[in-house]
Coordinates of all heavy atoms in Angstrom, one line a residue:
M911 N 92.7 144.4 96.7 CA 93.2 143.1 96.6 C 94.7 143.0 96.9 O 95.1 142.3 97.8 CB 93.1 142.7 95.1 CG 93.4 141.3 94.8 SD 92.5 140.6 93.3 CE 93.9 140.4 92.2
F912 N 95.5 143.8 96.3 CA 96.9 143.9 96.5 C 97.3 145.2 97.2 O 98.4 145.7 97.1 CB 97.8 143.6 95.3 CG 97.5 142.4 94.7 CD1 96.9 142.1 93.5 CD2 98.0 141.2 95.3 CE1 96.7 140.8 93.0 CE2 97.9 139.9 94.8 CZ 97.2 139.7 93.6
G913 N 96.3 145.9 97.6 CA 96.6 147.3 98.1 C 96.8 148.3 97.1 O 97.5 149.3 97.3
I914 N 96.2 148.1 95.8 CA 96.3 149.0 94.8 C 95.1 149.9 94.8 O 94.0 149.4 94.6 CB 96.5 148.3 93.5 CG1 97.8 147.5 93.4 CG2 96.5 149.2 92.3 CD1 98.1 146.6 92.2
G915 N 95.2 151.1 94.8 CA 94.1 152.0 94.8 C 93.8 152.4 93.3 O 94.4 151.9 92.3
L916 N 92.8 153.3 93.1 CA 92.3 153.7 91.8 C 93.5 154.5 91.1 O 93.6 154.2 89.8 CB 91.1 154.5 91.9 CG 90.4 154.9 90.5 CD1 90.1 153.7 89.7 CD2 89.2 155.7 90.8
P917 N 94.1 155.4 91.7 CA 95.2 156.1 90.9 C 96.3 155.2 90.4 O 96.8 155.3 89.3 CB 95.8 157.1 91.9 CG 94.8 157.2 93.0 CD 94.0 156.0 93.0
E918 N 96.8 154.2 91.3 CA 97.8 153.3 90.8 C 97.3 152.4 89.7 O 98.1 152.1 88.8 CB 98.2 152.4 92.0 CG 99.0 153.2 93.2 CD 98.0 153.7 94.1 OE1 96.8 153.6 94.1 OE2 98.5 154.2 95.1
L919 N 96.0 152.0 89.8 CA 95.4 151.1 88.7 C 95.3 151.9 87.4 O 95.8 151.3 86.2 CB 94.0 150.7 89.1 CG 93.3 149.7 88.1 CD1 94.2 148.4 88.1 CD2 91.9 149.4 88.7
I920 N 95.0 153.2 87.3 CA 95.0 154.1 86.2 C 96.4 154.1 85.6 O 96.6 154.0 84.4 CB 94.4 155.4 86.5 CG1 92.9 155.2 86.8 CG2 94.6 156.4 85.3 CD1 92.2 156.5 87.2
V921 N 97.4 154.3 86.4 CA 98.8 154.5 85.9 C 99.2 153.1 85.3 O 99.8 153.1 84.2 CB 99.8 154.8 87.1 CG1 101.2 154.7 86.7 CG2 99.4 156.3 87.5
I922 N 98.9 152.0 85.9 CA 99.3 150.7 85.4 C 98.6 150.5 84.0 O 99.3 150.0 83.0 CB 98.9 149.6 86.3 CG1 99.9 149.7 87.5 CG2 99.1 148.2 85.7 CD1 99.5 148.8 88.6
L923 N 97.3 150.9 83.9 CA 96.6 150.7 82.6 C 97.2 151.6 81.5 O 97.3 151.2 80.3 CB 95.1 151.0 82.8 CG 94.3 149.9 83.7 CD1 92.9 150.3 83.8 CD2 94.4 148.6 82.9
V924 N 97.5 152.8 81.9 CA 98.1 153.8 80.8 C 99.4 153.2 80.4 O 99.7 153.2 79.1 CB 98.3 155.1 81.4 CG1 99.2 156.1 80.5 CG2 96.9 155.8 81.6
I925 N 100.2 152.7 81.2 CA 101.5 152.1 80.9 C 101.4 150.9 80.0 O 102.0 150.7 79.0 CB 102.5 151.8 82.1 CG1 102.9 153.1 82.8 CG2 103.7 151.0 81.7 CD1 103.6 152.9 84.1
G926 N 100.4 150.1 80.4 CA 100.1 148.9 79.6 C 99.6 149.3 78.3 O 100.0 148.7 77.2
L927 N 98.8 150.3 78.2 CA 98.2 150.8 76.8 C 99.4 151.2 76.0 O 99.4 151.0 74.8 CB 97.3 151.8 77.1 CG 96.5 152.5 75.8 CD1 95.8 151.2 75.1 CD2 95.5 153.5 76.2
L928 N 100.3 152.0 76.5 CA 101.5 152.5 75.8 C 102.4 151.4 75.3 O 102.9 151.4 74.2 CB 102.3 153.5 76.6 CG 101.6 154.9 77.0 CD1 102.3 155.7 77.8 CD2 101.3 155.6 75.6
V929 N 102.8 150.5 76.2 CA 103.6 149.4 75.9 C 103.0 148.4 75.0 O 103.7 148.0 73.9 CB 104.1 148.6 77.2 CG1 104.9 147.4 76.9 CG2 104.9 149.6 78.0
L930 N 101.8 147.9 75.1 CA 101.1 146.9 74.4 C 100.4 147.3 73.2 O 100.2 146.6 72.2 CB 100.3 146.0 75.2 CG 101.1 145.3 76.3 CD1 100.0 144.6 77.2 CD2 102.1 144.3 75.8
G931 N 99.9 148.5 73.3 CA 99.0 149.1 72.2 C 97.5 148.7 72.5 O 97.2 147.7 73.3
P932 N 96.6 149.4 71.7 CA 95.2 149.2 72.1 C 94.7 147.9 71.5 O 93.5 147.3 72.0 CB 94.6 150.3 71.2 CG 95.6 150.8 70.3 CD 96.9 150.5 70.8
Q933 N 95.4 147.2 70.6 CA 94.8 145.8 70.1 C 95.1 144.7 70.9 O 94.4 143.7 71.2 CB 95.4 145.6 68.7 CG 94.8 146.4 67.5 CD 95.5 147.7 67.4 OE1 96.6 147.9 67.9 NE2 94.8 148.8 66.9
R934 N 96.4 144.8 71.5 CA 96.8 143.6 72.3 C 96.3 143.7 73.8 O 96.3 142.7 74.5 CB 98.3 143.5 72.3 CG 98.8 143.0 71.0 CD 100.1 142.5 70.9 NE 100.5 141.5 71.8 CZ 101.6 141.3 72.4 NH1 102.7 142.0 72.0 NH2 101.9 140.3 73.2
L935 N 96.1 144.8 74.4 CA 95.7 145.1 75.7 C 94.4 144.3 76.1 O 94.4 143.6 77.2 CB 95.6 146.5 76.1 CG 95.4 146.9 77.5 CD1 96.6 146.4 78.3 CD2 95.2 148.3 77.8
P936 N 93.4 144.3 75.2 CA 92.2 143.5 75.6 C 92.4 142.0 75.6 O 91.9 141.3 76.5 CB 91.1 143.9 74.6 CG 91.5 145.2 74.1 CD 93.0 145.2 74.1
E937 N 93.2 141.6 74.7 CA 93.6 140.1 74.7 C 94.3 139.7 76.0 O 94.1 138.7 76.5 CB 94.5 139.8 73.4 CG 93.7 140.0 72.1 CD 94.8 140.0 71.0 OE1 96.0 139.5 71.1 OE2 94.4 140.4 69.9
L938 N 95.2 140.5 76.4 CA 96.1 140.3 77.6 C 95.1 140.3 78.8 O 95.2 139.5 79.7 CB 97.2 141.2 77.8 CG 98.1 141.1 79.0 CD1 98.9 139.8 78.8 CD2 98.9 142.3 79.2
A939 N 94.1 141.2 78.8 CA 93.3 141.3 79.9 C 92.4 140.0 80.0 O 92.1 139.5 81.1 CB 92.3 142.6 79.8
R940 N 91.9 139.6 78.8 CA 91.0 138.4 78.8 C 91.8 137.2 79.3 O 91.3 136.3 80.1 CB 90.5 138.1 77.3 CG 89.2 138.7 77.2 CD 88.5 138.2 75.9 NE 89.3 138.6 74.7 CZ 89.1 139.8 74.1 NH1 88.3 140.7 74.6 NH2 89.8 140.1 73.0
A941 N 93.1 137.0 78.8 CA 93.9 135.9 79.2 C 94.2 135.9 80.7 O 94.1 134.9 81.3 CB 95.2 135.9 78.4
L942 N 94.4 137.1 81.2 CA 94.7 137.3 82.6 C 93.5 136.9 83.4 O 93.5 136.2 84.5 CB 95.2 138.7 82.9 CG 95.5 139.0 84.4 CD1 96.8 138.1 84.8 CD2 95.9 140.5 84.5
G943 N 92.3 137.4 82.9 CA 91.1 137.0 83.7 C 90.8 135.5 83.6 O 90.4 134.9 84.6
R944 N 91.0 134.9 82.5 CA 90.9 133.4 82.5 C 91.7 132.6 83.4 O 91.4 131.7 84.1 CB 91.0 132.9 81.0 CG 89.9 133.3 80.1 CD 90.0 132.6 78.8 NE 89.1 133.2 77.8 CZ 89.6 133.8 76.6 NH1 90.7 133.9 76.3 NH2 88.6 134.3 75.8
G945 N 93.0 133.1 83.4 CA 94.1 132.5 84.3 C 93.6 132.6 85.8 O 93.8 131.7 86.5
M946 N 93.2 133.8 86.1 CA 92.7 134.0 87.5 C 91.6 133.1 87.8 O 91.5 132.6 89.0 CB 92.4 135.6 87.8 CG 93.6 136.4 87.6 SD 94.6 136.5 89.0 CE 93.6 137.3 90.2
A947 N 90.6 133.1 86.9 CA 89.4 132.3 87.1 C 89.8 130.7 87.3 O 89.3 130.1 88.2 CB 88.3 132.4 86.1
E948 N 90.7 130.3 86.5 CA 91.1 128.9 86.6 C 91.9 128.7 88.0 O 91.7 127.6 88.5 CB 92.0 128.6 85.4 CG 92.5 127.2 85.3 CD 91.4 126.1 85.1 OE1 90.3 126.5 84.5 OE2 91.5 125.0 85.7
L949 N 92.7 129.6 88.3 CA 93.4 129.5 89.6 C 92.4 129.5 90.8 O 92.6 128.6 91.6 CB 94.4 130.6 89.8 CG 95.2 130.5 91.0 CD1 96.2 129.4 91.1 CD2 96.0 131.9 91.2
K950 N 91.4 130.3 90.7 CA 90.4 130.4 91.7 C 89.6 129.0 91.8 O 89.4 128.5 92.8 CB 89.5 131.5 91.5 CG 88.6 131.8 92.7 CD 87.8 133.1 92.3 CE 87.0 133.6 93.5 NZ 86.3 134.7 93.2
R951 N 89.3 128.4 90.7 CA 88.5 127.2 90.6 C 89.4 126.1 91.2 O 88.9 125.2 91.8 CB 88.1 127.0 89.1 CG 87.2 125.9 89.0 CD 86.7 125.7 87.5 NE 86.2 126.9 87.0 CZ 86.8 127.5 85.9 NH1 87.9 126.9 85.3 NH2 86.4 128.6 85.4
A952 N 90.7 126.0 90.7 CA 91.6 124.9 91.2 C 91.8 125.0 92.8 O 91.7 123.9 93.3 CB 92.8 125.0 90.5
T953 N 91.9 126.2 93.2 CA 92.1 126.3 94.7 C 90.9 125.9 95.4 O 90.9 125.3 96.5 CB 92.6 127.7 95.2 OG1 91.6 128.7 94.7 CG2 94.0 128.0 94.6
Q954 N 89.7 126.2 94.9 CA 88.4 125.8 95.6 C 88.2 124.4 95.5 O 87.8 123.7 96.5 CB 87.3 126.5 94.9 CG 86.0 126.2 95.6 CD 85.9 126.9 97.0 OE1 86.4 127.9 97.2 NE2 85.2 126.2 97.8
D955 N 88.6 123.7 94.4 CA 88.6 122.2 94.3 C 89.4 121.5 95.3 O 89.0 120.6 96.0 CB 88.9 121.8 92.8 CG 87.8 122.0 91.9 OD1 86.7 122.4 92.2 OD2 88.1 122.0 90.7
L956 N 90.6 122.1 95.5 CA 91.7 121.6 96.4 C 91.1 121.7 97.8 O 91.1 120.8 98.7 CB 92.9 122.2 96.2 CG 94.0 121.8 97.2 CD1 94.3 120.2 96.9 CD2 95.3 122.6 96.9
K957 N 90.5 122.8 98.1 CA 89.9 123.2 99.4 C 88.8 122.2 99.7 O 88.8 121.6 100.9 CB 89.5 124.5 99.5 CG 88.9 124.9 100.9 CD 88.5 126.4 100.9 CE 87.8 126.8 102.2 NZ 86.6 126.2 102.4
D958 N 87.9 122.1 98.8 CA 86.9 121.1 99.0 C 87.3 119.6 99.2 O 86.8 119.0 100.1 CB 85.8 121.1 97.8 CG 85.2 122.4 97.6 OD1 85.0 123.2 98.6 OD2 84.7 122.6 96.5
E959 N 88.3 119.2 98.4 CA 88.8 117.9 98.6 C 89.4 117.7 100.0 O 89.2 116.7 100.6 CB 89.9 117.6 97.5 CG 90.3 116.1 97.5 CD 91.2 115.9 96.3 OE1 91.1 116.5 95.2 OE2 92.2 115.1 96.5
I960 N 90.2 118.6 100.5 CA 90.8 118.7 101.8 C 89.7 118.6 102.9 O 89.8 117.9 103.8 CB 91.8 119.7 102.0 CG1 93.1 119.6 101.1 CG2 92.2 119.9 103.4 CD1 93.9 120.7 101.1
D961 N 88.7 119.5 102.7 CA 87.7 119.4 103.7 C 86.9 118.1 103.8 O 86.6 117.6 104.9 CB 86.6 120.5 103.4 CG 87.1 121.9 103.7 OD1 88.2 121.9 104.4 OD2 86.5 122.9 103.1
A962 N 86.7 117.4 102.6 CA 86.0 116.1 102.5 C 86.9 115.1 103.3 O 86.4 114.3 104.1 CB 85.9 115.7 101.2
E963 N 88.2 115.1 103.1 CA 89.0 114.1 103.7 C 89.0 114.4 105.3 O 89.1 113.4 106.1 CB 90.4 114.2 103.2 CG 90.6 113.8 101.8 CD 90.4 112.2 101.8 OE1 90.8 111.5 102.6 OE2 89.7 111.8 100.7
V964 N 89.1 115.6 105.7 CA 89.1 115.9 107.1 C 87.8 115.4 107.8 O 87.8 114.9 108.9 CB 89.3 117.5 107.5 CG1 89.0 117.8 108.8 CG2 90.7 117.8 107.0
R965 N 86.6 115.6 107.0 CA 85.3 115.1 107.6 C 85.4 113.7 107.7 O 84.9 113.0 108.7 CB 84.2 115.6 106.7 CG 83.7 117.1 107.0 CD 82.4 117.3 106.4 NE 82.4 117.1 105.0 CZ 82.8 118.1 104.0 NH1 83.1 119.3 104.4 NH2 82.8 117.9 102.7
K966 N 85.9 112.9 106.7 CA 86.0 111.5 106.6 C 86.8 111.0 107.9 O 86.5 110.0 108.5 CB 86.5 111.0 105.3 CG 86.3 109.5 105.2 CD 86.9 108.9 103.9 CE 87.3 109.7 102.8 NZ 87.9 109.0 101.7
M967 N 87.9 111.7 108.2 CA 88.8 111.3 109.2 C 88.1 111.6 110.6 O 88.4 110.9 111.6 CB 90.1 112.0 109.2 CG 91.0 111.6 108.0 SD 92.5 112.5 107.8 CE 93.3 112.1 109.3
D968 N 87.3 112.6 110.7 CA 86.6 113.0 112.0 C 85.5 112.0 112.3 O 85.0 112.0 113.5 CB 86.2 114.4 112.0 CG 87.3 115.4 112.1 OD1 88.4 115.0 112.5 OD2 87.1 116.5 111.8
E969 N 84.9 111.4 111.3 CA 83.8 110.5 111.6 C 84.0 109.5 112.7 O 83.1 109.4 113.6 CB 83.3 109.8 110.2 CG 82.6 110.7 109.4 CD 82.3 110.0 108.0 OE1 82.6 108.8 107.9 OE2 81.6 110.7 107.2
P970 N 85.1 108.7 112.8 CA 85.2 107.8 113.8 C 85.4 108.5 115.1 O 84.9 107.9 116.2 CB 86.5 107.0 113.5 CG 86.7 107.2 112.0 CD 86.1 108.5 111.7
I971 N 86.0 109.7 115.2 CA 86.2 110.4 116.5 C 84.9 110.8 117.0 O 84.5 110.7 118.1 CB 87.2 111.5 116.3 CG1 88.5 111.0 116.0 CG2 87.1 112.4 117.5 CD1 89.5 112.1 115.6
E972 N 84.0 111.3 116.1 CA 82.6 111.7 116.5 C 81.8 110.6 117.0 O 81.1 110.7 118.0 CB 82.0 112.5 115.4 CG 82.6 113.8 115.1 CD 81.9 114.4 113.8 OE1 81.0 113.8 113.2 OE2 82.3 115.5 113.4
A973 N 81.9 109.4 116.3 CA 81.2 108.2 116.7 C 81.6 107.9 118.2 O 80.7 107.5 119.0 CB 81.4 107.1 115.8
K974 N 82.8 107.8 118.5 CA 83.2 107.5 119.8 C 82.8 108.5 120.9 O 82.5 108.1 122.0 CB 84.8 107.4 119.9 CG 85.3 106.2 119.2 CD 86.8 106.2 119.2 CE 87.5 105.0 118.4 NZ 88.9 105.1 118.5
S975 N 82.8 109.8 120.5 CA 82.5 110.8 121.5 C 81.0 110.8 121.8 O 80.5 111.2 122.8 CB 82.9 112.2 121.0 OG 82.1 112.5 119.8
H976 N 80.2 110.2 120.9 CA 78.7 110.2 121.1 C 78.3 108.8 121.7 O 77.1 108.5 121.8 CB 78.0 110.3 119.8 CG 78.1 111.7 119.2 ND1 77.7 112.8 120.0 CD2 78.6 112.2 118.1 CE1 77.9 114.0 119.2 NE2 78.4 113.6 118.1
G977 N 79.3 107.9 122.1 CA 79.0 106.7 122.7 C 78.5 105.6 121.8 O 78.0 104.7 122.2
K978 N 78.7 105.8 120.5 CA 78.3 104.7 119.6 C 79.3 103.5 119.6 O 80.5 103.7 119.9 CB 78.2 105.2 118.1 CG 77.1 106.2 118.0 CD 77.0 106.7 116.6 CE 76.0 107.8 116.3 NZ 76.0 108.3 115.0
L979 N 78.7 102.3 119.3 CA 79.7 101.2 119.3 C 80.4 101.1 118.0 O 79.9 101.7 117.0 CB 78.9 99.9 119.6 CG 78.1 99.7 120.8 CD1 77.3 98.5 120.8 CD2 79.3 99.7 121.9
P980 N 81.5 100.6 118.0 CA 82.2 100.4 116.7 C 81.5 99.4 115.8 O 80.5 98.7 116.1 CB 83.6 99.7 117.1 CG 83.3 99.2 118.4 CD 82.2 99.9 119.1
A981 N 81.8 99.5 114.5 CA 81.2 98.7 113.5 C 81.2 97.3 113.8 O 82.4 96.8 114.3 CB 81.8 98.9 112.1
G982 N 80.3 96.5 113.7 CA 80.3 95.1 114.1 C 79.5 94.9 115.4 O 79.1 93.8 115.8
G983 N 79.3 96.0 116.2 CA 78.5 95.9 117.4 C 79.1 95.0 118.5 O 80.2 94.6 118.5
G984 N 78.3 94.7 119.5 CA 78.8 93.9 120.6 C 79.6 94.6 121.5 O 79.8 95.7 121.5
T985 N 80.0 93.9 122.5 CA 80.9 94.5 123.5 C 82.4 94.0 123.4 O 82.6 92.9 122.9 CB 80.4 94.1 124.9 OG1 80.4 92.7 125.1 CG2 79.1 94.7 125.2
P986 N 83.3 94.7 123.8 CA 84.7 94.3 123.6 C 85.0 93.0 124.5 O 84.3 92.8 125.5 CB 85.6 95.4 124.1 CG 84.6 96.3 124.9 CD 83.2 96.0 124.4
P987 N 86.0 92.2 124.1 CA 86.2 91.0 124.9 C 86.6 91.3 126.2 O 87.3 92.4 126.6 CB 87.3 90.3 124.1 CG 87.7 91.2 123.1 CD 86.8 92.4 123.0
S988 N 86.1 90.5 127.3 CA 86.6 90.8 128.7 C 88.0 90.1 128.9 O 88.2 89.0 128.4 CB 85.5 90.2 129.6 OG 85.4 88.8 129.5
P989 N 88.8 90.7 129.7 CA 90.1 90.1 129.9 C 90.1 88.8 130.6 O 90.9 88.0 130.3 CB 90.9 91.1 130.6 CG 89.9 92.3 131.0 CD 88.7 92.0 130.3
E990 N 89.2 88.5 131.4 CA 89.1 87.3 132.2 C 88.7 86.1 131.4 O 89.3 85.1 131.4 CB 88.0 87.4 133.4 CG 88.3 88.4 134.4 CD 87.7 89.8 134.0 OE1 86.7 89.8 133.3 OE2 88.4 90.8 134.4
S991 N 87.7 86.3 130.6 CA 87.2 85.1 129.8 C 87.9 84.9 128.4 O 88.0 83.8 128.0 CB 85.7 85.2 129.6 OG 85.5 86.3 128.7
G992 N 88.3 86.1 127.8 CA 89.0 86.0 126.6 C 87.9 85.9 125.5 O 88.1 85.7 124.3
K993 N 86.6 85.9 125.9 CA 85.5 85.9 125.0 C 84.8 87.3 124.8 O 85.0 88.1 125.8 CB 84.5 84.9 125.3 CG 85.0 83.4 125.3 CD 83.9 82.5 125.8 CE 84.4 81.0 125.9 NZ 83.4 80.2 126.4
A994 N 84.1 87.6 123.8 CA 83.4 88.7 123.6 C 82.1 88.7 124.3 O 81.5 87.6 124.5 CB 83.1 89.0 122.1
G995 N 81.8 89.8 124.9 CA 80.4 89.9 125.5 C 80.4 89.7 127.1 O 81.4 89.3 127.6
P996 N 79.3 89.9 127.7 CA 79.4 89.6 129.2 C 79.3 88.2 129.5 O 78.9 87.3 128.6 CB 78.0 90.3 129.6 CG 77.2 90.3 128.4 CD 78.1 90.3 127.1
P997 N 79.8 87.7 130.7 CA 79.7 86.4 131.0 C 78.3 85.9 131.1 O 77.4 86.6 131.5 CB 80.5 86.3 132.4 CG 80.4 87.7 132.8 CD 80.2 88.6 131.7
S998 N 78.0 84.7 130.7 CA 76.7 84.2 130.7 C 76.3 83.6 132.1 O 77.1 83.2 132.9 CB 76.5 83.0 129.7 OG 77.7 82.4 129.4
E999 N 74.9 83.8 132.4 CA 74.5 83.4 133.7 C 74.5 81.9 133.8 O 74.2 81.2 132.8 CB 73.1 84.0 133.9 CG 73.2 85.5 134.0 CD 71.8 86.1 134.2 OE1 71.0 85.4 134.8 OE2 71.6 87.2 133.8
G1000 N 74.6 81.4 135.0 CA 74.5 80.0 135.1 C 75.9 79.3 135.2 O 76.0 78.1 135.6
K1001 N 76.8 79.8 134.6 CA 78.2 79.3 134.6 C 79.0 79.7 135.9 O 78.8 80.8 136.3 CB 79.1 79.8 133.5 CG 78.7 79.2 132.1 CD 79.7 79.6 131.0 CE 79.4 78.9 129.8 NZ 80.3 79.4 128.8
P1002 N 79.7 78.8 136.5 CA 80.4 79.3 137.7 C 81.6 80.1 137.4 O 82.1 79.9 136.3 CB 80.9 77.9 138.3 CG 80.9 76.9 137.2 CD 79.8 77.3 136.2
S1003 N 81.9 81.0 138.2 CA 82.9 82.0 137.9 C 84.3 81.5 138.3 O 84.5 80.9 139.2 CB 82.7 83.3 138.6 OG 81.5 83.9 138.2

């Protein structure tokens, strides 16, 4: 995790046992474990929320790349007529 091997971990535990005593060391370990679990849960929630927002932002881009029409359908207005859709037949141009 932090590049700590077994010998280093044993030294840290022995020092902790000497400084805190056998009664407080398990309490500290439990509190540390709970804190790490809460931090992991919070970071996962944040990651999930960011991923959901990115997917929501990518939806319009994917729709355009697949050739889908925008919401509302129809064709965009033509510059000549100023109206939406293709020119109707029978009208003089």
Side-chain angles (χ1 to χ4, degrees):
M911 188 159 116
F912 297 109
I914 298 175
L916 185 61
E918 292 90 357
L919 187 61
I920 291 173
V921 169
I922 292 170
L923 289 175
V924 168
I925 292 172
L927 184 61
L928 291 174
V929 171
L930 299 174
Q933 285 82 22
R934 292 194 54 206
L935 191 61
E937 294 170 16
L938 181 67
R940 264 192 296 278
L942 186 61
R944 286 184 191 126
M946 294 283 287
E948 183 65 29
L949 179 65
K950 192 174 188 180
R951 192 176 310 118
T953 55
Q954 185 63 40
D955 288 346
L956 181 63
K957 182 181 176 290
D958 291 343
E959 188 174 325
I960 290 172
D961 288 343
E963 288 295 322
V964 168
R965 277 194 303 272
K966 192 181 343 177
M967 290 175 64
D968 284 345
E969 285 176 1
I971 295 171
E972 290 175 1
K974 288 179 184 177
S975 67
H976 293 299
K978 294 181 180 176
L979 293 175
T985 57
S988 62
E990 298 86 29
S991 67
K993 296 181 182 178
S998 27
E999 294 180 24
K1001 285 188 177 179
S1003 298

